[in-house]
């Protein structure tokens, strides 16, 4: 079905929900902030740290979306998607081999 029009707020709501509920983001936040969190830290500081992470993540997503959707970049990426998928798969195998070998 090629009759897709603007989705108003649907895309924003779905993207926000994915970003908010994504366990990878939670893992990243825990890994990044764990050394700085102490038992007596204030609630305001915790909220500030959360907002900082959300701002960084949101800025990254918006920047990538804007850069990729200007010009003919989307069509170019679609035309070489099989190469990108293969390269990412190969990279994952390399990382798995390095982890199994105890190098990283």
């Amino acid at each position: 079905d090629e009759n897709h029009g603007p989705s108003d707020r649907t895309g924003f709501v779905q993207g926000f929900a994915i970003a908010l509920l994504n366990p990878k983001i939670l893992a990243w936040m825990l890994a990044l902030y764990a050394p700085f969190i102490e038992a007596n830290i204030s609630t305001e500081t915790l909220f500030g740290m959360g907002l900082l992470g959300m701002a960084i993540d949101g800025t990254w997503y918006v920047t990538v979306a804007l850069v990729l959707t200007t010009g003919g970049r989307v069509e170019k990426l679609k035309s070489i998607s099989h190469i990108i998928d293969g390269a990412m798969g190969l990279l994952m195998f390399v990382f798995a081999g390095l982890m199994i070998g105890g190098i990283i």
Side-chain angles (χ1 to χ4, degrees), residues 24-74:
K24 291 184 289 187
I25 294 171
L26 176 62
W28 177 78
M29 294 280 284
L30 288 173
L32 183 69
Y33 289 140
F36 307 108
I37 298 177
E38 297 174 2
N40 60 352
I41 197 165
S42 70
T43 304
E44 291 83 13
T45 302
L46 290 173
F47 278 122
M49 292 168 81
L51 287 173
L52 177 63
M54 190 168 60
I56 292 169
D57 196 47
T59 303
W60 172 251
Y61 282 130
V62 169
T63 302
V64 168
L66 289 175
V67 166
L68 291 180
T69 57
T70 55
R73 292 185 182 108
V74 172

